Amino acid sequence: ADAPGDEKRSHPCATKVSPRCGGTMVSTSQLCPCELFAGLCDEELQQIAAIAREENYLAGERICTEREQADHIFILCEGRVQLRVRLRTLLEPDAELTIEEVEPGRIFGWSSLVRQRRFTASVQALEPVCVIAISAEDLNDLFNRHARVGFVVMKNLAEVIASRLRNTREQCAQQQSMA
């Protein structure tokens, strides 16, 4: 039995918004379209679904804040979110640059799976969104028990990070050319 206080908690900012999303159970069919899980079989997806939960956020809500502790990875199921990074300049010390608008099936919060465990960008809901949240600790435990799952997910994660780096460079180059 679980000790008091061990009950599963939702992400502290989660708000219920849609009757279609927000249940506690996550199915493998919800995980299939995710870029992170390409190449995993149904049994492996079931193991991930067992440690995942749905969360909802309202338009305008900040889901993650750059440089804060990252303990969950998120998969966007419905809606749109915007990834933004801080750009500190003498003229604009609090400026932010939009790196990308994330579409359903894409992830954010990947930094929860790497050693630094700090969000590398802020994420804000552009409209009501449904996400799947997975504890990085639980996912890493799964990787330790099932090396193939860890290998496939981390290989896919490397592709996501490379794509985000390309997008960030393109956005910075555009920003610089406009200055």
Side-chain angles (χ1 to χ4, degrees):
D2 292 307
D6 283 353
E7 57 275 343
K8 297 281 184 204
R9 289 183 207 96
S10 65
H11 191 268
C13 301
T15 308
K16 300 293 180 209
V17 293
S18 167
R20 292 182 312 234
C21 187
T24 56
M25 300 294 291
V26 172
S27 69
T28 58
S29 64
Q30 290 173 282
L31 297 176
C32 280
C34 178
E35 62 193 338
L36 203 59
F37 304 132
L40 295 179
C41 68
D42 284 343
E43 182 182 311
E44 292 164 332
L45 289 172
Q46 286 171 354
Q47 293 170 349
I48 294 169
I51 60 172
R53 68 175 182 277
E54 291 181 343
E55 296 179 350
N56 294 283
Y57 296 87
L58 298 171
E61 260 189 285
R62 189 163 277 208
I63 301 168
C64 308
T65 301
E66 185 177 359
R67 297 190 182 139
E68 285 188 358
Q69 183 73 27
D71 55 4
H72 286 79
I73 189 162
F74 300 90
I75 304 161
L76 185 63
C77 296
E78 289 180 16
R80 292 180 309 130
V81 299
Q82 194 172 63
L83 303 179
R84 299 180 62 78
V85 294
R86 291 182 197 161
L87 288 181
R88 292 198 171 120
T89 66
L90 292 174
L91 297 176
E92 295 184 67
D94 295 325
E96 285 190 330
L97 175 67
T98 299
I99 299 171
E100 186 175 343
E101 283 190 16
V102 177
E103 300 171 356
R106 307 263 346 251
I107 65 160
F108 56 94
W110 60 262
S111 52
S112 66
L113 296 179
V114 297
R115 194 162 303 255
Q116 73 172 359
R117 289 192 172 43
R118 298 266 171 209
F119 290 118
T120 58
S122 295
V123 179
Q124 186 167 3
L126 295 175
E127 57 195 39
V129 299
C130 174
V131 300
I132 294 173
I134 304 171
S135 159
E137 183 178 347
D138 292 345
L139 195 54
N140 278 313
D141 287 345
L142 179 65
F143 295 167
N144 288 333
R145 291 190 318 274
H146 302 280
R148 183 185 127 58
V149 173
F151 173 77
V152 170
V153 169
M154 295 309 276
K155 182 178 163 211
N156 291 337
L157 180 60
E159 291 181 29
V160 170
I161 294 169
S163 170
R164 298 272 166 82
L165 182 56
R166 271 190 308 276
N167 288 343
T168 302
R169 285 186 176 163
E170 289 170 8
Q171 293 296 328
C172 286
Q174 276 184 346
Q175 187 78 9
Q176 208 170 27
S177 68
M178 293 170 56

